[in-house]
Every structure is written in C-alpha cells, then in structure tokens.
Amino acid sequence: MFDIQEIRSQFSILDREVNGKPLVYLDNAATSQKPNSVLEVCHAYYTELNANVHRGIHTLSQLATEEMELSRRKIQRFINAEHDFEVIFTKGTTEGLNLISYILTQKLQKDDEIIISYLEHHSNIVPWQLLCERTGAKLRVIPIDENGILQLDYFDKFLSEKTKVVSVNQVSNALGIVNPIEEIIARTRKNTDAYIVIDGAQSAPHFNIDVQKLDCDFFVFSGHKMYAPMGTGILYGKREILEALPPFHGGGEMIATCSFDKTTYAGLPFKYEAGTPNVGGNIALGAAVDFMNRVGHENIQNHENALLEYAQRHLLEIEGLKVYGEKAKRTGVVSFNLEGVGISSDVGMILDKMGIAVRTGHHCTQPIMEFFNIAGTVRASFAVYNTFEEIDLLVEGVKKAQRMLS
C-alpha cells in the first residue's frame, strides 16, 4: 500500500520552514532529499566503520569493504547488470560521461562521427566536444520539433560507417521528456557498431532500469538525484568493453603491479576506481536503492506521473502560461514560463518567499533554450514524497507571481 504520509515521515527536512512557510521542495531534478534511513547509514559509517577499503587487514577495513561491495551488488540488481564488476563507482553522471569520452579516445580518428541530441545536458555535450578536439571527429545533433520531440528521421540519416558513438539521455532534465532510447539503440545496432551511451541521471530516480534488456554499452547516473548523498554515481559498462579500454585515472587501487619500468592494471571494477573512494557515500547509495525498492518502482512511477498530470492541468488553467514539451511523453518535470515575464528567476524568487523551491534558468541546457528562443524556464520537478496539496500551493504561488510581475 502506498502511504504518502508514511513516506514523508521518513524525510526529516520536509518538516522545516523556509521564509516562515512550510517547505515545498520541487527541485528534485537538481537533487532529491534524503530519507532518514540513508542519513543513518552515512552517520553509522563515519562513527562505526570509518576506514579505507580493499587495502587493510584490520577489522574496520574489512567491514567497510564488505559494506561497499554489498552496495555494489545492490546496484547491480537495481539496473540488472550481468556482473557486479560492471558497476563502477563515480562521483556522478558528469564524471561517468567524461570517463567514457576519455577512454574512447583511441577508438576515434579524424572525420569519425559522434551523435548526440538537442535535449542533452551540458555534461553530455562538452565531453564529446572535447573528444572531437582530441581526435578530429565531428559532432552531429539529432534535432527536435516544437514539442521537444526528437526527430528520428534525421537520426537515421546521420547513421553511417563513420558513426562511432551515440550518446543520448533517457529523460531530459530541462523538459522531462522521455526519449525513445529503445528505438534509438535498435536503429544504431542495425546500422553501425557504434558505442551506445545512455545518460540515466533523470531516469534512474523515476522508473525501472534494465541495462541488459536495453543492450546499451554504457549507462550512467547520479546517486544524489535518487535519494543518495551528493558525490555518488554509477557507470555501468559491458564487461568486454571495459576490459578492452584503457583506465581513466592513475593511482592507488587501479594497479596490479607498479614499477618504474612498467605498470599493469587491476581487473574490473578497480581498473576504473583509482584513489580512495567515497566509501560512506557509496554504502549510502545502496541504502537509497533499498529505500526505492521498499516503496516500489511502480508506486514511484505512478505517483510521480499523477503529480505531473495534475500539475500540468492546473498550471495550464493560468492564462498566459506556456508549458514546454506539453505534448511529449514526460516524467517528473513541468517546465514553464509566464507570458510577459521575461526573467524566470523573478518567478522563482517570489515562490521562494512562499517556501516553494523550484529551479529557474537554462538548467545546463542552453541549446534547448536557444531553440525555443528563451533565456530559461521555471522548472518544478517531483519526487515520491511530493503531494497534490504542494502542487496546489505551487499553482497559487505562480498566480501570485503573475499578478506581481505582469
């Protein structure tokens, strides 16, 4: 049974006030709040287990290692990876994408092509631009229509023997649009042997992920958007690909042998986990997976989709309000502007005075904003602990901002 009040009771921060008003937190696409069960795991690590992992014979090191590797196995099951060593701990989606673009350097040469989409976060644009600068490869971008929907006819035209990488997000952070990645992967497999990279930063918090069913080569996501601490994330990569590619960072943990003459590298996953990891955070990421499993993926998805439908319906009753991507399949996000209000941050500041936290600006997706000829949007984004009553407060807040700013 889905009990929203019981779920909310697990998030202590939701009891606080902001500017004398009860907190209404609708900035979950930027980062989610953390349940007490996750915070307790963080506290327990630093007060009971604090030690480096994989390197110590003493009890604390052994226990910390066991807990972090247990977390890795939880995440393996969470995304249905075939092997736990295909799960690489990172600092987040951005590091994962930079890691992939770097280790693929030797696989590209001049005039090869990398395909991304117009809906990408800057972290799925800039690393590929840097790879193009290193190799002489070229970037091709799948366009969108006026609803923000990818134009796959262009994607078909782009695919060729020159295509070496296809990297797209599963869900747009700016608009919440759910992209047809199954179709993109199928078309890529049919026509090329390109590496397929999926940015799952905005999909992992909202619905079930199965990397084997998807048949992607890489899948990356952040922990802090799915109820885990900041500075945590996951890179999934197929075993045979990760084993064949070079390491990213050099240092401790990722070596098998090291001498001044030659260094050999450790096996997976340690080959890509140089240095001391965020042990407490990585263990807490497993606790966040436990939380989501207890609530249930279907319950999370159904509740958040209901919030989205309710929010969009009532926001669109406001005269002069435009929702971007209104007619596209979406999850977790409603992104909008008010006619006659040129700066989205003005709306955000008024909402903040009412205790309502939203995100404003370009959301690290400047090409999307340029396409719609706007500077930014107001973005409300939802998590499992949000309520319909909070949506009502958002709608009333937007109406107040409209009266004040028009």
Side-chain angles (χ1 to χ4, degrees):
M1 180 178 175
F2 184 82
D3 184 342
I4 185 62
Q5 294 307 321
E6 194 280 328
I7 289 171
R8 286 179 64 83
S9 72
Q10 299 178 49
F11 292 82
S12 295
I13 196 171
L14 299 181
D15 293 331
R16 70 159 294 169
E17 292 187 348
V18 172
N19 293 318
K21 304 287 186 180
L23 171 64
V24 176
Y25 187 80
L26 299 174
D27 192 21
N28 295 285
T31 195
S32 65
Q33 298 302 336
K34 322 307 174 194
N36 295 335
S37 58
V38 170
L39 299 177
E40 288 163 5
V41 166
C42 289
H43 183 261
Y45 169 73
Y46 283 108
T47 57
E48 300 174 19
L49 290 181
N50 185 39
N52 216 326
V53 290
H54 302 134
R55 306 174 193 180
I57 197 170
H58 61 84
T59 298
L60 290 186
S61 179
Q62 293 294 312
L63 291 173
T65 298
E66 289 173 10
E67 289 298 316
M68 196 175 91
E69 292 308 312
L70 174 60
S71 181
R72 194 192 304 272
R73 293 191 293 274
K74 290 177 182 179
I75 297 156
Q76 174 199 358
R77 293 190 292 271
F78 180 72
I79 62 174
N80 194 32
E82 184 176 2
H83 305 287
D84 62 353
F85 51 75
E86 294 176 317
V87 174
I88 311 297
F89 287 116
T90 68
K91 291 188 297 186
T93 303
T94 298
E95 183 179 52
L97 290 167
N98 276 273
L99 187 160
I100 297 165
S101 69
Y102 178 83
I103 66 177
L104 289 179
T105 299
Q106 66 182 28
K107 296 295 183 179
L108 275 76
Q109 57 189 8
K110 190 175 187 300
D111 295 327
D112 283 341
E113 294 181 349
I114 300 166
I115 300 177
I116 61 173
S117 87
Y118 232 96
L119 291 176
E120 304 311 317
H121 188 281
H122 295 166
S123 61
N124 202 27
I125 299 173
V126 179
W128 304 115
Q129 291 175 327
L130 293 172
L131 179 56
C132 288
E133 291 175 7
R134 290 195 299 270
T135 62
K138 297 177 180 178
L139 199 65
R140 309 207 72 174
V141 184
I142 307 168
I144 55 177
D145 66 11
E146 67 277 5
N147 296 306
I149 298 172
L150 294 182
Q151 299 299 283
L152 294 189
D153 289 348
Y154 286 88
F155 177 60
D156 289 335
K157 295 175 183 176
F158 292 165
L159 287 169
S160 74
E161 69 280 355
K162 292 183 178 181
T163 307
K164 302 303 179 186
V165 179
V166 174
S167 187
V168 295
N169 60 35
Q170 191 168 9
V171 174
S172 162
N173 73 296
L175 306 180
I177 291 175
V178 181
N179 289 321
I181 62 166
E182 294 87 352
E183 190 172 351
I184 289 171
I185 292 170
R187 295 187 189 196
T188 303
R189 293 283 184 235
K190 181 179 178 180
N191 293 284
T192 76
D193 59 357
Y195 294 100
I196 299 173
V197 183
I198 303 298
D199 172 356
Q202 298 294 336
S203 58
H206 300 297
F207 44 78
N208 191 49
I209 304 297
D210 188 333
V211 293
Q212 291 190 75
K213 184 177 179 181
L214 285 174
D215 190 30
C216 55
D217 297 309
F218 301 99
F219 189 96
V220 294
F221 60 97
S222 298
H224 73 97
K225 298 179 190 293
M226 48 173 279
Y227 313 106
M230 292 184 179
T232 62
I234 294 297
L235 160 64
Y236 157 82
K238 287 182 177 178
R239 172 184 186 172
E240 61 274 17
I241 295 174
L242 291 176
E243 288 180 339
L245 291 170
F248 180 41
H249 290 146
E253 186 74 1
M254 52 76 66
I255 62 137
T257 63
C258 180
S259 72
F260 291 116
D261 295 322
K262 182 175 177 59
T263 293
T264 59
Y265 305 125
L268 299 175
F270 310 116
K271 175 181 176 181
Y272 294 103
E273 292 182 352
T276 298
N278 180 1
V279 181
N282 292 343
I283 295 171
L285 178 51
V289 167
D290 290 338
F291 166 77
M292 294 182 68
N293 287 338
R294 285 195 301 271
V295 177
H297 291 284
E298 186 174 352
N299 287 332
I300 292 171
Q301 188 171 357
N302 289 342
H303 179 64
E304 291 172 346
N305 285 345
L307 289 172
L308 173 60
E309 189 278 329
Y310 185 84
Q312 178 164 298
R313 175 159 46 89
H314 288 281
L315 285 168
L316 285 173
E317 292 172 355
I318 300 173
E319 185 176 355
L321 186 143
K322 176 179 175 60
V323 171
Y324 296 90
E326 174 189 347
K327 297 180 180 179
K329 179 182 178 182
R330 304 201 327 278
T331 188
V333 168
V334 59
S335 197
F336 61 92
N337 275 325
L338 290 168
E339 182 180 339
V341 178
I343 304 176
S344 61
S345 60
D346 290 346
V347 178
M349 285 188 286
I350 292 172
L351 292 174
D352 180 59
K353 295 299 183 183
M354 302 172 67
I356 302 168
V358 297
R359 182 61 52 126
T360 64
H362 57 64
H363 318 299
C364 294
T365 58
Q366 286 182 299
I368 296 177
M369 303 302 141
E370 291 171 2
F371 177 85
F372 288 110
N373 195 30
I374 54 178
T377 69
V378 181
R379 184 187 71 187
S381 51
F382 312 118
V384 70
Y385 44 69
N386 289 127
T387 67
F388 296 101
E389 291 78 12
E390 290 179 318
I391 303 301
D392 292 337
L393 291 171
L394 170 68
V395 172
E396 290 307 309
V398 173
K399 289 178 180 178
K400 179 178 180 178
Q402 186 180 53
R403 291 192 299 270
M404 293 177 65
L405 297 170
S406 294

